[in-house]
Amino acid sequence: MASQADAHAATFSAAELEFLAEDELIEIVPNMRMDPLNLICGDFGPFRPQIATQVPVWLAVALKRRGKCTIRPPDWMSVEKLTQVLEAERDAEKFQPLPFHYVEISRLLFDHARDDIPDIYMVRSLIEDIKDVRFHKIGTGLEIISRERTYALRLKNLSAMEANIVRPFVTRALQTFYKLSSPDMIQDSDSVSNRQPQTANRGPRRQLKDR
Amino acid sequence: METGAQDGSSGYSTMDDYESLISTTDAELLKRAWQNEKAAPQILRFEAALIQRSREQIKLMEETVGEFTRNGIDPLTVSLYQMDLDRTIFLLRSYLRTRLQKIEKYVFHIQKTAELWNRLSRQEKRFAERCIEDMEKHLDQSVLSKLPSSYKSHLKQSSSSEEDDMVPEPRLDTYVICRSKRFLGAFQLDDSAEEPVNIEADDLYALPYKSIKPLVETGQIDLV
């Protein structure tokens, strides 16, 4: 059969991920008056000076760029919360819960709303550190799937950006293992001795690797 | 008000399901359809009703923006409406484009698999037919007509092939990253007599597409 080269590498571009993240809601404080907006993606407003309201990030950024509001950074983007997360991330093997789009949202806010983020340098460096620790964990986690045959992987608390970056490797690796351990392959090689670990390791192999 | 938040920490009674179903906007549904279509190796069912509604909403909004501009509504408001419109149009176009790419890639396979052929919209079927015509003609003119007679088929390698082995097929054992809306206990990963596993709601998993194919098609699992 003519096999098709798998063109599914990084399925979503970084820009597309940002696009998805931009629909998340965030709080703004307008400095002007505007009637409610009845958009396709939802209804927002009315906008009154000094009265906080929730809008999607893309709308917040658009208003901010025209000087029509200030953006209130989300709760998780404070120095305290991030320090807690960083420490927990360093101590535990598992991934700490973080907003799914934390990478994209923090990047958007850094780019467009620096003056609205208190201690921005601290916040930025904390997020960088958190990202690094998590990527390192992903690396060590990936070694596990190469040591034991893995059928499925649980990626608990992984964020959108991280999942997207890891996707090409993880999917190819798991697919290859799947192919190599399929029963047809093993039956074909009759001459190969029957000490396939398959029957012995029934138990542990079924576990979804929790990372 | 749109349900943008991604954290699903609520319990999963049927009442919650119903509520989340009626409160999911078309914009959300379009986004989901787009994500699923991009990530799935195979072409999924065409969301005819959703696309129709989205088209209508877009048309309505375009007219509204036109009116606004004519009535001298302030440019800020107009530009915000336009942005929202652009975002929706992007989703719609990308959804359709992704499908067309898949059709082009696997057009012979789709043509001969009734289940897949029925997933195409009317216009996509016309596109596929023209694609097939062009491909057949091209292959014939540039290569096949010059080969000995038992090798002339564009579907089989030679007339002694039992199957259509020149037809590329999407690989259903591709792994995808996905998330389930509900807890799925005792989920059987594949047909071999392996033990089933538990799938927690709202956690990401990397699974072979063919294990979750029916759940994706009924909307219980989303691809990411």
Side-chain angles (χ1 to χ4, degrees), chain A residues 80-91 96 125-131 133:
Chain A
E80 297 156 41
K81 280 277 166 57
L82 289 173
T83 315
Q84 279 174 2
V85 169
L86 179 58
E87 274 168 28
E89 201 72 66
R90 282 190 173 135
D91 292 335
Q96 297 311 303
S125 109
L126 282 167
I127 290 190
E128 288 299 312
D129 289 342
I130 290 175
K131 266 203 298 202
V133 173

Side-chain angles (χ1 to χ4, degrees), chain A:
Chain A
M1 164 145 49
S3 68
Q4 192 69 9
D6 191 341
H8 264 283
T11 314
F12 292 94
S13 72
E16 285 166 342
L17 242 47
E18 195 180 73
F19 177 79
L20 286 172
E22 284 174 334
D23 277 334
E24 296 282 319
L25 293 178
I26 200 174
E27 204 170 79
I28 60 164
V29 180
N31 57 24
M32 48 63 180
R33 211 185 159 75
M34 197 166 69
D35 285 335
L37 297 169
N38 302 112
L39 307 172
I40 296 179
C41 67
D43 300 321
F44 308 103
F47 301 90
R48 302 280 176 262
Q50 310 317 319
I51 311 262
T53 181
Q54 297 225 321
V55 294
V57 169
W58 65 266
L59 185 51
V61 167
L63 287 174
K64 173 77 187 176
R65 291 177 71 169
R66 290 162 172 78
K68 303 291 183 191
C69 72
T70 56
I71 300 186
R72 205 180 70 75
D75 289 334
W76 57 266
M77 252 176 94
S78 69
V79 174
E80 297 156 41
K81 280 277 166 57
L82 289 173
T83 315
Q84 279 174 2
V85 169
L86 179 58
E87 274 168 28
E89 201 72 66
R90 282 190 173 135
D91 292 335
E93 264 185 28
K94 296 196 195 268
F95 290 89
Q96 297 311 303
L98 273 172
F100 192 54
H101 292 286
Y102 83 92
V103 177
E104 300 92 298
I105 295 188
S106 56
R107 161 60 81 83
L108 280 165
L109 293 185
F110 291 148
D111 285 346
H112 300 288
R114 334 180 57 115
D115 47 336
D116 290 338
I117 305 177
D119 302 315
I120 184 173
Y121 293 110
M122 196 61 196
V123 170
R124 193 185 225 148
S125 109
L126 282 167
I127 290 190
E128 288 299 312
D129 289 342
I130 290 175
K131 266 203 298 202
D132 284 339
V133 173
R134 288 168 71 98
F135 267 106
H136 187 254
K137 274 191 204 172
I138 289 176
T140 46
L142 290 179
E143 284 179 55
I144 296 180
I145 68 175
S146 58
R147 257 187 277 130
E148 287 175 38
R149 216 167 303 147
T150 311
Y151 275 89
L153 210 49
R154 185 178 179 197
L155 307 164
K156 190 175 164 82
N157 288 329
L158 225 59
S159 77
M161 193 64 93
E162 288 151 1
N164 197 44
I165 289 181
V166 149
R167 189 201 315 268
F169 178 75
V170 163
T171 54
R172 292 264 174 83
L174 288 176
Q175 204 172 315
T176 311
F177 285 127
Y178 193 80
K179 203 164 64 161
L180 293 178
S181 61
S182 90
D184 312 323
M185 287 234 53
I186 300 194
Q187 262 148 41
D188 270 340
S189 46
D190 261 353
S191 51
V192 176
S193 84
N194 288 338
R195 21 171 201 86
Q196 296 293 347
Q198 191 169 7
T199 39
N201 287 1
R202 280 229 117 117
R205 232 169 4 125
R206 273 344 255 174
Q207 253 172 340
L208 296 187
K209 297 297 180 289
D210 210 5
R211 297 197 290 105

Side-chain angles (χ1 to χ4, degrees), chain B residues 47-184:
Chain B
E47 300 282 346
L50 173 62
I51 298 299
Q52 180 61 23
R53 290 196 308 268
S54 304
R55 277 214 160 106
E56 283 163 12
Q57 278 185 309
I58 288 176
K59 194 145 168 302
L60 205 60
M61 194 56 91
E62 283 176 337
E63 287 167 14
T64 311
V65 170
E67 253 180 60
F68 279 176
T69 330
R70 275 192 302 275
N71 295 348
I73 301 281
D74 81 285
L76 171 64
T77 310
V78 174
S79 82
L80 294 176
Y81 273 93
Q82 185 65 50
M83 262 188 239
D84 171 64
L85 189 55
D86 289 338
R87 288 175 69 88
T88 313
I89 291 178
F90 166 73
L91 275 181
L92 179 63
R93 283 193 181 145
S94 193
Y95 174 74
L96 296 173
R97 253 191 227 128
T98 309
R99 290 177 63 89
L100 286 179
Q101 271 175 3
K102 281 192 202 171
I103 292 175
E104 261 184 19
K105 204 162 150 184
Y106 300 116
V107 72
F108 291 123
H109 181 246
I110 292 178
Q111 182 196 33
K112 57 184 204 117
T113 314
E115 184 201 348
L116 295 180
W117 182 257
N118 289 333
R119 292 183 184 175
L120 268 48
S121 73
R122 227 177 3 138
Q123 292 112 317
E124 285 170 347
K125 285 182 177 156
R126 250 184 286 145
F127 171 77
E129 280 164 1
R130 285 193 340 252
C131 216
I132 287 174
E133 242 184 73
D134 288 344
M135 282 288 279
E136 282 182 2
K137 197 152 64 151
H138 167 65
L139 287 174
D140 193 58
Q141 283 177 353
S142 44
V143 178
L144 294 177
S145 54
K146 306 182 171 58
L147 296 178
S149 62
S150 60
Y151 296 93
K152 277 190 194 285
S153 160
H154 63 279
L155 298 175
K156 296 183 160 51
Q157 280 202 51
S158 79
S159 50
S160 56
S161 303
E162 287 162 12
E163 296 177 351
D164 290 339
D165 45 5
M166 282 308 285
V167 173
E169 272 182 40
R171 298 200 51 172
L172 295 186
D173 56 358
T174 308
Y175 271 76
V176 290
I177 299 189
C178 60
R179 188 194 293 149
S180 171
K181 296 194 181 122
R182 303 178 301 125
F183 173 76
L184 298 168

